[in-house]
Amino acid sequence: MDAFVLAQAELFQPHVLFMLFCGVCGGIAVGSMPGLTATMAVAIMTSFTFHMDAISAIMTLIGVYFGGIYGGSISAVLLHIPGTPSAVMTARDGYPMALRGEGGRAIGIATWSSFMGGLIGMILLMLFAPLISKFALRFSAPEYFALAVFGLSIVASISDKSLTRGLIAALLGILICLSGVDPMTGMARFTFGLPDLYSGFQFIPVMIGLFGLSEILTQLSSQEYRFVAQKLTKIIPSWSQIKQLNVTILRSALIGVGIGALPGTGGAIASFVAYNSARNNSNKPEKFGQGVPQGIAASEAANNASCGGALMPMLTLGIPGDAITAILIGALILHNVQPGPMLFVSNPEVVYSIYTGGILASLFMATVGFLLAARLFARLISFPRYVLLPIILILCIVGSFAVNNSLFDVYVMIGFGVVGYIAKNLGIPLTPLVLGVVLGPILEENLRTAIVMSQGEFVFFLTRPIAVFFILVTVFSLCFQKWKANRRMR
Amino acid sequence: MSYSIPRSYLLSGVILVLAGFVYWEAENIPSLTTDLSVVDAAFFPTAIAILLAVLALMVAWQGRNNTSDRIVFTLTPAFRKAALFVGIMIAYALALPTVGFELSSLTFLMLTMWLLGMRSKVLAVVLSVMVTSLIYIIFINLMYVPIPSLLKNL
């Protein structure tokens, strides 16, 4: 109890709150820029925190983390360019809303869902961190493989009109990940003699090209351009709207925490799974992808809740839940705080300040989102096309370069922009393709590792209860969708 | 002059060619194991190539009754504009290391604004300078992204 009071006394000092607020604002600004990810922002901000005391430093980074994940939704909604990988699904329903002039409302829904997701994530972190972390430790290669298979079953939900084309898209996505040096054997695959390809295609330039540039090329090659004035009213969701979204947000946040707690997964997979779940539980699943608030709510609640989830193994076991928490571990160690089981004994005030700091960061994020971000950014996309498109194009280029400080990534982005444009014209949906890119490495690496573990015995999977559970959930989910589709047909 | 082909047949053909290429490339990946081929680097690409080929044939089969959905190949002015923008982006990326971020970005922004219909030269210059400065401050000054820059090298 003393440690809790001490933590609050340290946290509620004006300069610490100010740093947390600045972190949130900076995170939102960075996350909303194509190519600048929350991971990059946290990494860079770490160097600025050297001279700070431990609590101020941790609060700044927590602010950047939460703000950055939320910020990705802004460019996803308004420009169809997910600022962060976890905002891919937000773009699916957010952008159609922006095309209807409801960009402000869409950002409002994203803000509310992100706030609630972040809040639920932190509450679950406080209550169940040790329990969920212990469960997450039981995940090994077969379980991760089964989880990835479950993730791929989402293709059935996001394939627009044709499942066959959705599957082709997902396989093409997996194919993209195969380029580079094979992590298990060290053999180079699909590198075509290019040294830049030895580390494979970077995810962000691929995503910017597929979503952002292909959209611009489609606009340029269509004969008419429709200017959409954005309504800036009703940005804060009404009470009735909130009531409609409550169940989706709660379910998605639980999914986000669960998946976020698994090391090596992260917000992108959480938002895919939550979106699929929201669609399966909807009375009008066919409306998903055409601009429904539930689609945005599911994705945003899940990816923000995954922050709380990712902090669980970090705090309790010293294992990073994702790339950002890996950097946070480094930052904590820099300030003489060692994450892991002993943290609760040696520095309990740090743990309590992270709990409260996460909740405050969510509050600041909602305040900045509602009062400033939604109005400001929605106004920005009301600029004339001859101003807006060049700015987006240059952001696509600079953002792709920023990922790895490499011009090769700019060419990759342009290449995938053209690929995305061709794919759209051939009727290949792009979201399953990105799903394949996200899940491909997890699928391949864990299948092969599991096979090695079992000495080639595929039956091995059946001896793993969690893996069997995910396989059964996958089968059930596919059957349920088929049954629902048949019922609608009748 | 224009030429059209059923969309599903074109998709099927493209995917079949791609699947064949992936299969051929995978065949060239050396094998390291003798007893567990699943562990080899070629296993996954081969499996994906086969699955893609099967799905491509399915697309062609499903589209046999819907040949009215066609892709028309024609060089409309709008399509030419999209191709021109891709060319300008490549030129911008090529110019970056030699000309630097500042000059190449100003030129890129002014040119693309003009191509998209902005006719006020003053506004184009003012906006280009503003956007270039803002990106410079955020990416180069604040985020330390080492974009080739003339100002930084002075």
Side-chain angles (χ1 to χ4, degrees), chain A residues 152-160 163 167 276 279 478 481:
Chain A
L152 273 182
S153 70
I154 297 164
V155 170
S157 296
I158 55 175
S159 293
D160 297 335
L163 177 62
L167 287 171
N276 185 49
R279 189 183 179 278
L478 290 173
Q481 282 180 48

Side-chain angles (χ1 to χ4, degrees), chain A residues 192-386:
Chain A
F192 312 110
L194 296 169
D196 288 297
L197 268 183
Y198 276 48
S199 53
F201 290 110
Q202 297 294 320
F203 182 60
I204 300 284
V206 171
M207 201 174 62
I208 293 177
L210 284 174
F211 280 95
L213 184 57
S214 75
E215 177 64 28
I216 293 172
L217 293 178
T218 306
Q219 282 192 26
L220 286 170
S221 62
S222 64
Q223 298 291 343
E224 55 186 71
Y225 172 74
R226 197 161 52 92
F227 173 75
V228 184
Q230 297 295 321
K231 289 177 217 142
L232 293 174
T233 52
K234 296 182 183 170
I235 284 173
I236 299 176
S238 63
W239 181 240
S240 61
Q241 175 94 77
I242 287 172
K243 276 202 288 188
Q244 281 174 7
L245 296 176
N246 271 345
V247 178
T248 306
I249 289 175
L250 182 65
R251 186 180 48 237
S252 306
L254 292 175
I255 291 170
V257 172
I259 292 181
L262 301 174
T265 51
I269 298 175
S271 65
F272 274 114
V273 175
Y275 185 92
N276 185 49
S277 169
R279 189 183 179 278
N280 284 347
N281 285 288
S282 168
N283 293 327
K284 292 177 182 168
E286 70 282 359
K287 296 278 181 197
F288 276 66
Q290 296 171 19
V292 289
Q294 280 81 0
I296 301 173
S299 168
E300 283 305 302
N303 65 34
N304 279 272
S306 75
C307 296
L311 287 171
M312 286 180 185
M314 180 191 107
L315 290 176
T316 57
L317 307 166
I319 297 170
D322 58 11
I324 301 178
T325 43
I327 300 166
L328 281 178
I329 287 179
L332 286 171
I333 293 169
L334 271 176
H335 290 278
N336 295 320
V337 177
Q338 181 66 49
M342 289 308 289
L343 180 65
F344 290 79
V345 181
S346 58
N347 297 90
E349 74 285 355
V350 171
V351 178
Y352 293 128
S353 62
I354 288 176
Y355 289 167
T356 318
I359 292 171
L360 284 176
S362 297
L363 273 170
F364 288 152
M365 184 187 75
T367 311
V368 175
F370 283 133
L371 297 182
L372 190 70
R375 285 168 211 281
L376 179 75
F377 286 101
R379 269 206 185 93
L380 285 181
I381 65 155
S382 300
F383 281 2
R385 180 167 92 139
Y386 54 73

Side-chain angles (χ1 to χ4, degrees), chain A residues 30 33-34 36 40-41 44 48 162 164-165 167-168 171-172 174-175 178 182 184-185 187 189-190 192 213 217 220-223 385-387 389-391 393-395 397-399 401-402 405 407 410-411 413-414 418 421 425-428 443-444 447-448 451-452 455-456 458, chain B residues 7-8 10-11 14-15 18 21-22 25-26 29-30 32 36 38-41 43-45 48 51-52 55-56 58-59 62 71 76 78-79 81-82 85-86 89-90 92-94 96-97 101 105 108-109 112-113 116-118 127 131 135 138-139 142-148:
Chain A
V30 169
M33 300 254 180
L36 294 186
M40 192 191 287
I44 290 168
F48 286 102
S162 161
T164 317
R165 288 172 194 224
L167 287 171
I168 288 177
L171 289 175
L172 290 177
I174 296 173
L175 204 57
L178 295 179
D182 173 38
M184 285 190 77
T185 60
M187 306 299 297
R189 299 183 296 188
F190 304 100
F192 312 110
L213 184 57
L217 293 178
L220 286 170
S221 62
S222 64
Q223 298 291 343
R385 180 167 92 139
Y386 54 73
V387 176
L389 289 193
I391 296 174
L393 282 176
I394 205 164
L395 277 176
I397 295 172
V398 178
F401 179 89
N405 304 329
L407 274 172
V410 176
Y411 299 122
M413 183 274 295
I414 297 172
V418 176
Y421 175 76
N425 280 294
L426 286 174
I428 299 177
L443 200 71
E444 186 192 12
L447 172 67
R448 290 164 69 191
I451 298 292
V452 172
Q455 297 291 308
F458 282 88
Chain B
R7 197 180 301 270
S8 50
L10 181 63
L11 172 63
V14 169
I15 298 297
L18 181 71
F21 173 72
V22 172
E25 273 282 317
I29 301 171
L32 287 183
L36 269 181
V38 175
V39 184
D40 273 336
F43 170 74
F44 231 66
I48 284 172
L51 282 171
L52 274 174
L55 288 168
M58 280 173 69
V59 166
Q62 287 166 353
I71 283 189
T76 60
F79 180 81
K81 188 182 264 185
F85 268 74
V86 172
M89 287 177 82
I90 294 171
Y92 172 67
L94 286 170
L96 260 178
F101 170 75
S105 300
F108 175 84
L109 285 167
T112 47
M113 282 180 191
L116 286 166
M118 179 181 267
L127 278 172
V131 172
I135 293 176
I138 295 173
F139 281 80
L142 295 176
M143 304 297 292
Y144 300 112
V145 178
I147 303 170

Side-chain angles (χ1 to χ4, degrees), chain B:
Chain B
M1 203 179 89
S2 68
Y3 174 72
S4 74
I5 184 171
R7 197 180 301 270
S8 50
Y9 288 174
L10 181 63
L11 172 63
S12 179
V14 169
I15 298 297
L16 273 175
V17 170
L18 181 71
F21 173 72
V22 172
Y23 189 88
W24 178 73
E25 273 282 317
E27 285 286 293
N28 292 330
I29 301 171
S31 173
L32 287 183
T33 56
T34 49
D35 51 342
L36 269 181
S37 62
V38 175
V39 184
D40 273 336
F43 170 74
F44 231 66
T46 309
I48 284 172
I50 293 168
L51 282 171
L52 274 174
V54 171
L55 288 168
L57 293 173
M58 280 173 69
V59 166
W61 176 256
Q62 287 166 353
R64 73 193 185 284
N65 294 326
N66 185 20
T67 48
S68 57
D69 180 20
R70 306 174 82 87
I71 283 189
V72 182
F73 294 94
T74 178
L75 282 176
T76 60
F79 180 81
R80 282 195 196 120
K81 188 182 264 185
L84 177 65
F85 268 74
V86 172
I88 293 172
M89 287 177 82
I90 294 171
Y92 172 67
L94 286 170
L96 260 178
T98 45
V99 185
F101 170 75
E102 300 83 357
L103 273 180
S104 51
S105 300
L106 282 172
T107 316
F108 175 84
L109 285 167
M110 285 190 280
L111 180 65
T112 47
M113 282 180 191
W114 181 76
L115 282 171
L116 286 166
M118 179 181 267
R119 289 295 168 256
S120 165
K121 286 176 190 164
V122 178
L123 190 61
V125 171
V126 170
L127 278 172
S128 302
V129 170
M130 277 172 62
V131 172
T132 306
S133 309
L134 201 65
I135 293 176
Y136 186 92
I137 291 167
I138 295 173
F139 281 80
I140 298 179
N141 277 357
L142 295 176
M143 304 297 292
Y144 300 112
V145 178
I147 303 170
S149 157
L150 281 181
L151 286 176
K152 276 271 170 185
N153 294 333
L154 283 178

